[in-house]
Amino acid sequence: MIQSFRLENVGLINRNKKLSFKFNGKTYYGYEGDTLASALLANGVHLIGRSFKYHRPRGFFGAGVDEPYAIVQLYRNGETEPNIKATEQELFEGLVATSVNCWPSVKFDVGAINNFLKIFLPAGFYYKTFMWPKSFWYKIYEPFIRKAAGLGVASIKHDKERYEHKYEYCDLLIAGSGPSGLASAYAAAKNGARVILAEDKSRFGGTLLTSDVNIGNKSGKEWAEGVIAELKEMPNVTVKNRSQVFGYYDHNMLVMSERVSDHLATTKKFHPKQRLWYIRAKEVLISAGSIERPIVFGNNDTPGVMLSSAAKEYLRIYGVLVGKKPLIFTNNDSGYETAIDFKKNGIDPIILDTRKDPQSEIVEEAKELGINIKFSYVVVAAKGYKKVKSADIAKISDNKEDLGVIENINCDCICVSGFWTPTIHLASQSGNKTKFNENIDAFVPGISKQNETTLGAANGVYTLNETLKSSFETAHALSKKITNNDNKISFPNVVEKKSTTHDKFWCVPLPKGKNYKRFLDFQNDVAVSDIEIALKEGYRSIEHVKRYTTLGMATDQGKTSNLNGLQLVSKIENKVVPAVGHTTFRPPYNPVSIGAIVGREVGKHSKPTRKSPMHNWHEKNNAVFVDAGVWLRPRYYKKGDENLFEASKREAKNVRTNVGVCDVTTLGKIDIKGPDAGELLNRVYTNAWLKLPVGKARYGVMLREDGIVMDDGTTTRISENHYHMTTTTAQAANVLSHLEYYLQLVWPELNVNVVSTTEQWAGAAIAGPKSRDLLQKLFPNSDVSKEGLPFMGYMEGDLFGVKARIFRISFSGELAYEVNVESDNGNFMWEKIIEVGQAFKIQPYGTEALSTLRIEMGHVAGSELDGRTIPYDNSLEGLVSKKKDFIGKRSLTKEAFTAEDRQKVVGVVPLDKKTSIPEGSHLVKDSNAPLPNPKLGYISASCWSVEYDNPFSLAILKDGKNMIGKKLFVMSPLKNKVIPVEIVSSHYVDPKGERVRS
Amino acid sequence: MLHIKCPHCGMRSQNEFSYGGDATIKRPELNKDISDQEWNNFVYNRKSLRGKHWELWQHLSGCRQWIKVERDTATHEIFNTLKANEDIS
């Protein structure tokens, strides 16, 4: 196919490299250096999508970040990505893209019926129409709106691409490489500052690439290339293209997204697709330039209507004509530059200038070139449905209110210039209080709140000379402040054409009897009439008008629509624009892919995975793992075809009859040393700790200051001033912080040090009636007899040459021990226990069996210590000292905590001794009571009791102490279960605790 | 993201720290008889100030020290940071 709109010798594209690509199934050709937009335009393709609400045909409006229409679904390297701007996507060989928001095709769109129903779709339409009847919302309205309103389709596949995060510090971050960005980067770099220069597009230079200017006897483009080449060589400068600074956060932290590989057909090996930069800058220079404003007229969304600056960019950079019969509609001199470019390339444009008699160098040049200029003329409406075919134009009166006779002229595109809007997004995000500049009818940055300065067009400065001058000076002054250097660069001679003032005209009145849609927000289909309705209905605050009409709320965030919206509100309200004020700019400036935001923290990389030193053994022995916080723990060890239930029952049974071993490395461990260590424990735990002898362990419960149980565990006195604390796996980090808080801030007089040793020790729990016999074989030189190592005793032992700590503590309720060795010896220990344990029928057991064992013993754990219970609730009131004070004690006297019918942990057994009770079920008195059925408590943990071979659960039940023996119902509406149950003691097995002491 | 000067380690990013609430709250002494109101004030009642506020942060992924930070809750400006044992003036 011929690129019939491509000029032969114009543009910065690489004509030696022809690329093929597909759009909506059709193959086209473009060149390396094209964007998808420029390549489509070169092929004369203007119809790209359908609009959001009315499904009107839409084409290209801009040539970059400001594009409201040209959003496509992109297919690259087997992946698909929605909502890519065709004006930003660089062309690569084999690129495939399709339109979004149209069905069945862009040329015939069923949703376009909305266009003919538009009279029924005014502002606030969704709010009004879909409110009634209420029952229709979920089933009918909501799915319909979702389907109709969607943009692209997100892939549901795993993204194979890699995204990176990078952290960087610099003296000056410069956002934008146009004239002000280049000048300031150059001046600061020459003055020794560490500079990062970020350019959103692939080419550096900004408007210098498309303007007829001279700097230091070079063309703007040559000067830009020279400066960039020099900057790239400097060690103190980082120059980045395809990199957009999109967010300005607190304390001069800026975030930039670098599109590393999006312009390539495939990502190179070891390269990321995109990279997110977190940059902490001492000073920020915002040189983001400005965006051309549209003038509002009838059907101004027709494909072929676009910004005049975009037409110029397509021509100058890509050698593409957006039309061969262009109509330029302008209120300022910028439109003339585009017209002159057309003329110089053999195309005859017509200029409609809203001004009566502008006098400037540029206007003179256009006149001399013989361009057809109509002064005091406006476009009333674009004609054509899928593409501009002609335009209704008319003379406009001096007061800009009355139209003359309407004439129709042929044209194939309308290039609009309504003057320039500074890009103040980053400044506004930084907290800068922006102010309205009457001369340019736009907001510019005002007083800075952080270390930022806006330069050039972004600051409302539209002449090159002034821009370069202020940029050189500002960058020199700022860099001097940081580096103390004083190297000044001589200011180059600047030649540019002088322009005259613009016309404040921005909206063409409707001719009598016509009600053309005049769009303000192109992506969200917000027209002049919508704003009028919103105001008629009483919306006044611009923030409310925005939300009611969705003006400026599309993915382009109103880059081309905000100011015209404000103009309209101020006109209707008869206020000045600054009195209306603008809505708040928030990051990101431009959509950022979720992949880039997430970076490498995907799947298993989203948090660290901790494995115990015995992990490989577990793996080899068919362990099925479960996530326990960041740890991977064996849940059960599968034998043959066993399922979870069968395996855990077997493992638990073996602990009750023989001996089992469980990996308890994950328990939190804190080493506590110092003369006041005992005193600290006495204040932290609810029970007494001052008299714990050396070589003894004690179980303790700690509270938060509000009386709620924070954690439990055993702490062992290793020597006079040395304790070993254990915490639950989940609370390990919080308990350490908790201790540090009290030691550093509340009781700094206590001479104690705490440090986490969780990863330093590997732990194995050996539990079961045969555990002592096994232990004796493991430690033949130690006296582990009932007397030698009594319940809650501690000793050090020699495990075949490895130093070990032996604790006689039990979670399973059986005679049990816990052996700790240094982590490096963990696997050795484990294998020895298994090897020696064979004689005693040892089996490893996982967390599921561990839970079964503790539940039927009535030992509370995380599901009861859930941040809502006090010691009494967990039947731990016996551990609460009446004599001494401790953290949270005062709270226990609260009325609710001492109520007679206070909740308490109980046991629950189904009457049929068969039906398993789902965790989380409710306990009620009457299963047939009307809703809401009063809830008496909830099931916190359930198991199959291996001791009695029936289901058993723990529950937190209101007035639990008086409920033992009562019959209640367990209800699980989620599982549709009603189970009659009996309330029993939570200590279901061995209630006197004889086994642990045996 | 805030940039917080740890008095022990220097300027560090916010993600190394965890927030610890009002730094001016003093825990009642142990074993002291106090009213319900006093205790409730200590446990629950906090002013949600707009403006300058002394607060606690712990340099969790650094030196693990609890520090005192004077921050403007509206603008996030940080005026001063102190070690745990230094008094707020």
Side-chain angles (χ1 to χ4, degrees):
Chain A
M1 189 142 178
I2 313 157
Q3 299 175 42
S4 51
F5 288 82
R6 185 84 73 175
L7 292 165
E8 254 169 47
N9 298 313
V10 189
L12 309 178
I13 44 170
N14 177 12
R15 283 166 208 270
N16 297 323
K17 195 146 180 209
K18 200 168 168 186
L19 304 172
S20 76
F21 68 101
K22 264 187 184 170
F23 179 66
N24 284 341
K26 204 167 164 184
T27 302
Y28 300 95
Y29 295 93
Y31 294 115
E32 188 179 74
D34 261 326
T35 60
L36 175 58
S38 67
L40 283 169
L41 286 167
N43 288 284
V45 177
H46 278 260
L47 180 62
I48 184 126
R50 293 278 174 166
S51 73
F52 202 66
K53 197 158 89 184
Y54 303 127
H55 287 241
R56 284 164 72 108
R58 292 287 161 85
F60 299 95
F61 194 71
V65 66
D66 50 322
E67 175 61 44
Y69 304 145
I71 287 169
V72 297
Q73 184 87 22
L74 188 80
Y75 299 84
R76 171 183 176 271
N77 197 19
E79 308 267 341
T80 180
E81 214 177 329
N83 306 341
I84 299 293
K85 285 181 184 141
T87 53
E88 290 193 305
Q89 177 60 50
E90 291 173 58
L91 200 65
F92 53 79
E93 175 60 38
L95 182 150
V96 176
T98 58
S99 299
V100 297
N101 204 24
C102 56
W103 183 85
S105 80
V106 68
K107 288 184 179 157
F108 176 74
D109 178 6
V110 170
I113 192 104
N114 286 1
N115 189 25
F116 304 103
L117 297 175
K118 65 193 169 205
I119 182 161
F120 304 115
L121 291 170
F125 165 71
Y126 295 123
Y127 300 111
K128 292 169 187 163
T129 315
F130 295 126
M131 290 309 289
W132 185 91
K134 216 175 170 184
S135 60
F136 272 34
W137 177 254
Y138 280 110
K139 284 182 179 148
I140 296 168
Y141 294 151
E142 213 261 349
F144 170 76
I145 295 173
R146 282 215 179 279
K147 211 170 163 209
L151 292 166
V153 183
S155 171
I156 53 167
K157 280 199 306 182
H158 174 73
D159 189 349
K160 288 176 299 200
E161 296 281 353
R162 185 162 127 170
Y163 302 84
E164 278 184 1
H165 284 184
K166 184 178 165 76
Y167 293 82
E168 196 54 90
Y169 292 81
C170 66
D171 295 331
L172 268 85
L173 170 65
I174 299 165
S177 76
S180 55
L182 284 178
S184 50
Y186 194 62
K190 286 280 180 191
N191 208 18
R194 281 179 64 195
V195 173
I196 297 175
L197 175 64
E199 169 57 46
D200 167 30
K201 297 198 168 183
S202 62
R203 297 173 183 84
F204 296 97
T207 51
L208 290 174
L209 301 178
T210 54
S211 323
D212 286 322
V213 291
N214 264 279
I215 306 171
N217 297 325
K218 289 181 190 163
S219 76
K221 180 173 160 282
E222 283 165 2
W223 183 80
E225 285 164 355
V227 170
I228 280 293
E230 207 173 325
L231 286 173
K232 278 183 177 169
E233 293 301 312
M234 295 174 76
N236 54 329
V237 182
T238 305
V239 174
K240 281 280 158 195
N241 61 338
R242 302 187 176 99
S243 298
Q244 187 175 63
V245 181
F246 66 79
Y248 201 133
Y249 300 89
D250 292 308
H251 296 186
N252 260 29
M253 157 76 88
L254 290 96
V255 186
M256 171 171 99
S257 103
E258 182 188 1
R259 301 183 306 278
V260 184
S261 308
D262 294 73
H263 62 294
L264 303 170
T266 52
T267 307
K268 279 186 219 152
K269 206 174 177 190
F270 306 125
H271 281 228
K273 182 165 186 269
Q274 292 173 358
R275 184 182 286 129
L276 210 66
W277 293 56
Y278 292 91
I279 303 169
R280 189 80 71 172
K282 285 192 184 130
E283 292 283 344
V284 176
L285 291 177
I286 301 166
S287 45
S290 56
I291 293 171
E292 202 165 23
R293 282 203 286 278
I295 302 177
V296 180
F297 55 88
N299 298 333
N300 56 337
D301 64 329
T302 311
V305 177
M306 65 168 67
L307 292 173
S308 125
S309 57
K312 189 166 96 172
E313 191 168 333
Y314 286 120
L315 196 155
R316 284 269 182 135
I317 301 214
Y318 307 102
V320 169
L321 293 170
V322 299
K324 292 179 179 174
K325 283 186 285 180
L327 187 66
I328 316 284
F329 181 26
T330 187
N331 70 359
N332 70 96
D333 284 5
S334 301
Y336 286 78
E337 290 179 26
T338 306
I340 290 167
D341 275 349
F342 272 116
K343 184 76 184 174
K344 285 182 173 167
N345 285 288
I347 302 290
D348 270 327
I350 302 170
I351 298 177
L352 302 190
D353 193 334
T354 65
R355 297 173 296 182
K356 199 175 179 185
D357 187 22
Q359 302 287 337
S360 76
E361 247 179 278
I362 299 167
V363 176
E364 277 315 304
E365 188 184 345
K367 281 181 185 165
E368 275 164 29
L369 284 167
I371 293 173
N372 181 0
I373 309 171
K374 291 170 178 287
F375 293 106
S376 291
Y377 254 82
V378 296
V379 176
V380 176
K383 296 278 165 177
Y385 183 59
K386 287 177 194 161
K387 176 76 198 293
V388 171
K389 287 185 179 138
S390 66
D392 278 353
I393 65 168
K395 210 168 170 83
I396 192 152
S397 63
D398 287 355
N399 65 7
K400 310 285 185 194
E401 280 172 15
D402 304 310
L403 296 170
V405 182
I406 291 178
E407 310 156 40
N408 184 270
I409 58 168
N410 275 337
C411 61
D412 61 357
C413 67
I414 303 174
C415 307
V416 193
S417 177
F419 209 49
W420 297 87
T421 308
T423 306
I424 58 168
H425 300 66
L426 284 178
S428 172
Q429 286 175 20
S430 80
N432 190 304
K433 195 111 188 86
T434 57
K435 59 184 186 209
F436 192 73
N437 181 334
E438 290 284 342
N439 295 327
I440 60 168
D441 293 328
F443 287 93
V444 291
I447 299 154
S448 299
K449 222 149 117 190
Q450 301 201 41
N451 294 338
E452 51 87 20
T453 315
T454 303
L455 295 166
N459 195 29
V461 176
Y462 294 142
T463 68
L464 184 62
N465 194 54
E466 211 182 318
T467 293
L468 292 182
K469 215 164 165 230
S470 59
S471 302
F472 274 121
E473 279 165 9
T474 307
H476 178 262
L478 289 175
S479 55
K480 188 180 167 189
K481 207 172 71 185
I482 296 165
T483 65
N484 284 322
N485 295 338
D486 198 8
N487 302 324
K488 264 195 177 157
I489 335 168
S490 57
F491 188 68
N493 183 42
V494 175
V495 183
E496 63 183 316
K497 284 179 215 162
K498 288 202 176 54
S499 51
T500 183
T501 51
H502 77 291
D503 181 2
K504 289 179 183 291
F505 182 81
W506 65 276
C507 182
V508 181
L510 283 176
K512 280 198 181 72
K514 299 280 183 192
N515 62 343
Y516 298 121
K517 276 273 170 199
R518 292 172 297 168
F519 286 97
L520 291 166
D521 185 306
F522 302 103
Q523 197 178 107
N524 266 358
D525 275 2
V526 181
V528 170
S529 50
D530 295 315
I531 303 282
E532 286 168 350
I533 289 173
L535 288 159
K536 242 184 245 168
E537 291 181 359
Y539 289 89
R540 287 296 175 273
S541 156
I542 188 68
E543 295 282 359
H544 292 159
V545 172
K546 164 183 163 179
R547 279 158 186 82
Y548 193 56
T549 61
T550 72
L551 172 81
M553 285 172 68
T555 63
D556 65 336
Q557 288 188 26
K559 289 184 178 69
T560 49
S561 64
N562 273 343
L563 264 170
N564 283 340
L566 288 178
Q567 293 273 20
L568 179 62
V569 174
S570 68
K571 190 180 144 198
I572 301 171
E573 288 280 279
N574 210 5
K575 281 182 187 165
V576 287
V577 173
V580 175
H582 65 74
T583 56
T584 318
F585 292 107
R586 292 195 179 88
Y589 170 66
N590 198 30
V592 182
S593 74
I594 290 172
I597 293 168
V598 174
R600 301 296 307 275
E601 293 172 20
V602 182
K604 275 281 164 202
H605 296 296
S606 60
K607 56 183 197 291
T609 301
R610 286 189 182 167
K611 295 175 183 172
S612 92
M614 290 84 97
H615 187 83
N616 288 348
W617 190 95
H618 302 323
E619 257 183 347
K620 274 185 223 144
N621 288 274
N622 300 325
V624 177
F625 292 94
V626 62
D627 288 313
V630 291
W631 290 93
L632 275 183
R633 294 189 74 176
R635 192 171 184 192
Y636 63 100
Y637 299 83
K638 198 181 172 86
K639 269 194 181 170
D641 297 336
E642 274 179 340
N643 60 23
L644 165 70
F645 179 68
E646 291 157 352
S648 62
K649 226 163 96 174
R650 168 181 53 75
E651 291 169 7
K653 188 90 194 156
N654 192 57
V655 171
R656 292 266 184 255
T657 49
N658 297 307
V659 59
V661 59
C662 181
D663 187 348
V664 291
T665 303
T666 62
L667 278 188
K669 302 174 204 78
I670 298 171
D671 207 55
I672 304 176
K673 275 183 178 164
D676 296 322
E679 178 62 28
L680 173 72
L681 294 171
N682 207 42
R683 295 179 186 188
V684 167
Y685 283 128
T686 60
N687 49 345
W689 283 80
L690 294 178
K691 287 178 185 158
L692 181 73
V694 172
K696 275 286 194 180
R698 186 165 284 175
Y699 175 71
V701 174
M702 59 179 81
L703 307 186
R704 310 191 307 219
E705 290 287 17
D706 62 0
I708 300 289
V709 177
M710 179 176 181
D711 198 44
D712 70 339
T714 58
T715 293
T716 306
R717 192 166 188 184
I718 305 283
S719 66
E720 180 66 21
N721 294 329
H722 183 192
Y723 293 78
H724 172 80
M725 175 187 272
T726 64
T727 73
T728 58
T729 303
Q731 290 290 347
N734 292 343
V735 170
L736 183 64
S737 267
H738 181 72
L739 299 180
E740 285 165 337
Y741 173 87
Y742 285 94
L743 284 173
Q744 293 172 24
L745 287 156
V746 186
W747 304 310
E749 68 279 7
L750 292 184
N751 191 354
V752 184
N753 264 314
V754 291
V755 68
S756 164
T757 53
T758 301
E759 270 122 299
Q760 276 65 38
W761 295 100
I766 301 172
K770 293 179 185 166
S771 58
R772 182 181 289 128
D773 300 338
L774 168 57
L775 205 70
Q776 193 63 67
K777 293 262 186 220
L778 289 168
F779 298 95
N781 302 326
S782 302
D783 176 14
V784 296
S785 66
K786 193 174 173 180
E787 296 73 28
L789 185 56
F791 182 53
M792 296 307 254
Y794 164 78
M795 62 163 59
E796 282 166 17
D798 177 61
L799 180 80
F800 303 100
V802 167
K803 217 179 100 185
R805 288 175 168 183
I806 313 165
F807 308 82
R808 189 174 159 190
I809 52 178
S810 175
F811 191 48
S812 56
E814 292 297 324
L815 169 67
Y817 302 87
E818 209 179 295
V819 182
N820 280 7
V821 295
E822 285 174 8
S823 289
D824 287 351
N825 297 321
N827 202 50
F828 172 80
M829 165 184 72
W830 187 267
E831 286 184 344
K832 276 289 169 202
I833 292 170
I834 296 286
E835 179 193 318
V836 177
Q838 294 306 320
F840 306 97
K841 297 187 177 164
I842 198 167
Q843 286 184 21
Y845 63 102
T847 56
E848 201 66 25
L850 185 73
S851 291
T852 298
L853 295 166
R854 76 96 185 165
I855 292 169
E856 62 176 5
M857 277 290 166
H859 288 172
V860 289
S863 47
E864 291 77 36
L865 311 177
D866 64 352
R868 296 182 293 181
T869 53
I870 59 170
Y872 172 87
D873 305 349
N874 293 297
S875 286
L876 297 171
E877 63 271 27
L879 284 172
V880 177
S881 168
K882 296 207 166 65
K883 291 185 193 139
K884 56 135 195 178
D885 200 359
F886 53 85
I887 292 169
K889 186 179 190 182
R890 182 67 176 77
S891 288
L892 295 179
T893 60
K894 273 195 286 196
E895 213 178 306
F897 288 177
T898 53
E900 259 306 297
D901 60 351
R902 176 80 199 166
Q903 61 178 10
K904 201 176 187 62
V905 65
V906 293
V908 178
V909 180
L911 292 184
D912 68 359
K913 306 250 171 151
K914 271 192 286 199
T915 313
S916 288
I917 302 171
E919 290 177 348
S921 305
H922 290 183
L923 282 157
V924 298
K925 207 170 189 170
D926 175 5
S927 62
N928 294 314
L931 295 173
N933 194 344
K935 176 186 149 190
L936 302 175
Y938 57 93
I939 302 292
S940 59
S942 287
C943 73
W944 188 278
S945 165
V946 289
E947 185 85 11
Y948 297 112
D949 202 23
N950 58 254
F952 176 74
S953 296
L954 292 178
I956 304 286
L957 182 62
K958 192 174 178 178
D959 198 18
K961 72 172 175 189
N962 293 318
M963 298 296 274
I964 309 292
K966 297 247 164 81
K967 302 222 168 28
L968 296 174
F969 292 92
V970 157
M971 297 193 70
S972 175
L974 276 178
K975 305 218 160 142
N976 205 17
K977 271 191 175 178
V978 179
I979 309 162
V981 295
E982 184 182 355
I983 305 303
V984 298
S985 161
S986 59
H987 298 294
Y988 196 43
V989 174
D990 189 23
K992 288 183 183 154
E994 285 163 349
R995 294 183 193 177
V996 290
R997 290 178 178 83
S998 63
Chain B
M1 203 190 302
L2 306 186
H3 216 198
I4 301 170
K5 186 180 173 186
C6 170
H8 307 279
C9 311
M11 294 302 279
R12 297 300 179 97
S13 265
Q14 184 186 343
N15 50 5
E16 295 185 12
F17 295 83
S18 71
Y19 182 69
D22 192 333
T24 62
I25 300 290
K26 266 213 139 27
R27 191 194 191 280
E29 278 172 42
L30 288 168
N31 300 307
K32 202 180 154 196
D33 208 11
I34 55 166
S35 68
D36 284 352
Q37 191 54 53
E38 278 173 278
W39 182 255
N40 283 346
N41 283 345
F42 160 63
V43 178
Y44 300 107
N45 296 339
R46 296 289 183 274
K47 283 175 195 147
S48 187
L49 288 177
R50 182 189 168 87
K52 279 193 181 184
H53 183 231
W54 275 102
E55 53 202 20
L56 294 170
W57 290 76
Q58 189 185 12
H59 194 189
L60 211 60
S61 311
C63 61
R64 294 202 64 92
Q65 294 300 301
W66 285 87
I67 60 168
K68 298 168 185 173
V69 177
E70 191 185 22
R71 182 179 68 104
D72 189 310
T73 57
T75 64
H76 294 317
E77 189 178 348
I78 291 174
F79 307 97
N80 202 355
T81 54
L82 295 174
K83 294 177 183 171
N85 61 3
E86 290 174 325
D87 286 328
I88 298 162
S89 51

